[in-house]
Amino acid sequence: MKINAAVATAPQTDLDIRELTLDAPRADEVTVRMVASGVCHTDAIVRDQWYPTPLPAVLGHEGSGIVEAVGADVTDLKVGDKVVLAPASCGVCENCISGHPQYCTDFYALNFGGSRADGSKMFDDNGAPISSNFFGQSSFASATNVRARNAVKVSDDAPLELLGPLGCGIMTGSGSVLNVLKPSPGESIAVFGTGAVGLAGMLGAVASGATTIIMVDIVPSRLEFAKELGATHVVNSKEVDAVEAIREITGGAGVNYALDTTGVPAVFSQMTKSLALRGHGVLVGAAKLGTEAPFDIGTLLTSGITISMVVEGDAVPREFIPKLISLHERGLFPFDKLVKTYEFADINQAFADSESGATIKPVVLY
Ligand code: NAD
Ligand code: ZN
């Protein structure tokens, strides 16, 4: 079928909106007519080839839409179902079967390889193949095919124009806090970076009852916004030493938990130094492959801290996304405050506004 898609052609170059042909869904896939897609920082870094997904490619990995066709073997979705799309995972490796599909042994190939597992690409441009299956979905397209396994059915009255980011940025921040760090009521956390991922982590911390929630960034307007949404303290690390500020706020002890969403080596280092004894820090911010960060193994040996590298909040999407929707419905997870919508035709403006910090979580509508 003919579809419209935004094609990434070269680093630092605007996406090109084109008509492409989408092939038929395979037996284990569904065709999804896209209603909306979030724009994540990871789309921009793959366009810029920090990760080598072959270009030209249809990126986009926070899609939400309606099932339009189902493959012969799909039994748990039907035409008309509303779905939120999540990253791909094989479903049969040790990590998938033990409930950690974000560490699927095929994660890289299935999400960044630019094709189905069998090597086929689902889009073509007048005979020229275009990379597909980005995060198992390539959601910057008016319709796409996804394996039923990575489509999460939501209720018939769910607000699809809002829910796409639950499939990546919002799931990553909130899942890192709720699934990995798991603060108890009354505990403390510092979040470095107040973009979509960091603020989703903060909202997760608020929902879990943490009572000292310190947000660190270098953009004053973002820090102000974090305060409105529930931060108990904000630190502008351009103006003050973040580690000293966090120690001062916590009476010298440091924080129980920390989340680095920046991927900046110096910030990662600050995170390791801001933790309390036996604290737990998570890195989710992406850096170029080969990036190393300073880590004082001499001083920190006796701290008992844990550092985790986390993908997509270590979530099982079919379990976690409905939980986030239910928290949102009850007013306990107001992630909609991060979202600004754009017409699909304005997708490059959405990228620019995300880059400049003007918009926290852009969502394009088809
Ligand atoms: P974003 O650009 O909206 O937010 C990043 C924030 O970090 C901004 O507010 C920026 O001002 C702040 N920042 C930058 N440099 C800083 C510094 N030196 N000190 C303090 N703050 C600084 O991005 P986002 O959408 O929130 O995504 C955050 C990161 O998470 C990206 O690198 C993205 O690729 C990555 N990501 C990872 C996963 C995963 O599974 N691990 C999933 C989604 C996104
Ligand atoms: Zn993402």
Side-chain angles (χ1 to χ4, degrees):
M1 69 193 260
K2 296 286 181 201
I3 56 136
N4 283 321
V7 181
T9 56
Q12 261 95 29
T13 302
D14 276 357
L15 306 181
D16 187 25
I17 297 186
R18 297 182 192 167
E19 188 180 80
L20 303 177
T21 305
L22 173 70
D23 66 8
R26 299 289 163 87
D28 60 350
E29 292 176 345
V30 295
T31 302
V32 175
R33 181 165 57 76
M34 217 63 72
V35 169
S37 177
V39 172
C40 172
H41 191 79
T42 309
D43 295 307
I45 68 178
V46 173
R47 176 201 62 192
D48 295 345
Q49 294 285 278
W50 287 22
Y51 300 163
T53 296
L55 301 182
V58 178
L59 304 175
H61 61 285
E62 293 186 341
S64 55
I66 297 173
V67 175
E68 195 161 278
V70 294
D73 295 347
V74 175
T75 53
D76 51 0
L77 290 172
K78 58 181 190 313
V79 172
D81 280 349
K82 287 186 169 182
V83 288
V84 173
L85 307 182
S89 54
C90 74
V92 294
C93 73
E94 197 175 320
N95 288 330
C96 279
I97 59 178
S98 62
H100 300 281
Q102 311 306 338
Y103 305 103
C104 171
T105 50
D106 283 340
F107 191 89
Y108 199 86
L110 291 175
N111 291 285
F112 296 103
S115 67
R116 293 185 176 96
D118 66 6
S120 64
K121 296 185 190 286
M122 53 186 168
F123 303 117
D124 91 59
D125 184 2
N126 293 308
I130 304 283
S131 288
S132 61
N133 296 76
F134 185 59
F135 276 88
Q137 53 182 282
S138 291
S139 62
F140 292 154
S142 56
T144 192
N145 295 322
V146 298
R147 286 179 71 209
R149 174 176 165 75
N150 52 298
V152 181
K153 182 173 155 42
V154 297
S155 66
D156 290 342
D157 59 358
L160 281 184
E161 61 292 345
L162 199 61
L163 300 183
L166 295 184
C168 178
I170 305 296
M171 173 163 86
T172 295
S174 60
S176 295
V177 173
L178 296 171
N179 299 329
V180 182
L181 295 174
K182 300 183 183 166
S184 298
E187 288 194 303
S188 58
I189 183 168
V191 178
F192 295 81
T194 57
V197 174
L199 288 171
M202 184 192 83
L203 293 175
V206 174
S208 67
T211 46
T212 302
I213 302 174
I214 306 168
M215 299 300 290
V216 184
D217 206 294
I218 48 180
V219 180
S221 58
R222 289 205 158 189
L223 291 170
E224 271 315 302
F225 185 62
K227 235 175 171 171
E228 283 168 31
L229 276 186
T232 59
H233 302 78
V234 295
V235 172
N236 184 335
S237 56
K238 214 175 185 174
E239 289 172 355
V240 300
D241 181 303
V243 177
E244 276 174 24
I246 290 167
R247 295 245 164 229
E248 199 176 309
I249 293 164
T250 53
V255 277
N256 301 120
Y257 305 99
L259 177 63
D260 176 10
T261 72
T262 71
V264 174
V267 175
F268 175 82
S269 188
Q270 287 168 1
M271 174 178 81
T272 65
K273 292 176 184 161
S274 65
L275 288 166
L277 293 170
R278 299 187 65 243
H280 188 177
V282 158
L283 172 74
V284 293
K288 280 187 182 164
L289 305 184
T291 304
E292 304 212 341
F295 187 85
D296 177 354
I297 61 169
T299 307
L300 291 171
L301 173 69
T302 52
S303 68
I305 64 169
T306 303
I307 300 291
S308 304
M309 307 285 147
V310 173
V311 177
E312 299 289 337
D314 196 10
V316 177
R318 283 188 171 194
E319 171 198 55
F320 190 60
I321 289 175
K323 283 185 185 169
L324 293 179
I325 292 174
S326 125
L327 278 170
H328 178 250
E329 281 169 355
R330 299 206 47 220
L332 300 171
F333 188 71
F335 76 95
D336 53 291
K337 299 215 166 90
L338 315 182
V339 169
K340 180 176 170 194
T341 56
Y342 294 75
E343 294 301 316
F344 180 54
D346 298 328
I347 190 166
N348 289 305
Q349 189 62 48
F351 269 68
D353 289 355
S354 169
E355 182 91 48
S356 75
T359 299
I360 291 175
K361 175 50 74 181
V363 170
V364 294
L365 302 176
Y366 294 86

